[in-house]
Amino acid sequence: MPNAPEPPPLPIDLAAAHAMILVERAARLASEIAVERLKLEVARLRRERFGTSSDRSSRIDQLELVLEDLEETLAETDAQAAAEPEALSGAATSRSKPARRPLPEHLL
């Protein structure tokens, strides 16, 4: 998108970065829920399509367009997340086992 807004700068503070990641996760989850809800609505309307007027089929087409837009947005978000591994590395390392440092010289 040529006119996409500039993302906010990444925070330096660890707590602020953590909060930012949680907000992004919540927004992504809300988007995924909206996509799933629209998929269910499209499936329901497709079942009703056989034997009803053509007005409903136009509504199905409109919902499919909205669904495609949402899926496109999610794909772009995934691509941006893959392009910015620094933002995700903090979350990935917090779940992994911490690395052990060698013992200090005075304890050997």
Side-chain angles (χ1 to χ4, degrees):
M1 298 178 92
N3 295 332
E6 180 86 18
L10 294 176
I12 296 174
D13 181 27
L14 182 61
H18 189 278
M20 183 178 172
I21 290 170
L22 292 177
V23 167
E24 291 293 325
R25 281 185 185 169
R28 179 168 171 80
L29 180 62
S31 296
E32 289 174 350
I33 289 171
V35 166
E36 291 301 318
R37 187 175 291 135
L38 284 173
K39 282 182 180 180
L40 289 172
E41 181 73 11
V42 167
R44 184 183 65 79
L45 290 172
R46 278 195 178 141
R47 284 192 302 270
E48 292 178 3
R49 182 183 225 173
F50 304 104
T52 59
S53 68
S54 63
D55 292 338
R56 289 200 177 167
S57 66
S58 66
R59 184 167 182 222
I60 291 173
D61 294 338
Q62 291 171 350
L63 284 173
E64 285 176 337
L65 289 175
V66 171
L67 178 61
E68 287 175 13
D69 288 342
L70 283 172
E71 287 176 334
E72 215 173 89
T73 304
L74 283 175
E76 288 174 4
T77 305
D78 287 341
Q80 287 176 352
E84 298 174 3
E86 305 87 32
L88 298 177
S89 65
T93 57
S94 66
R95 288 180 279 183
S96 64
K97 192 174 182 180
R100 293 188 181 194
R101 289 178 260 157
L103 287 173
E105 289 296 323
H106 70 278
L107 292 178
L108 291 176

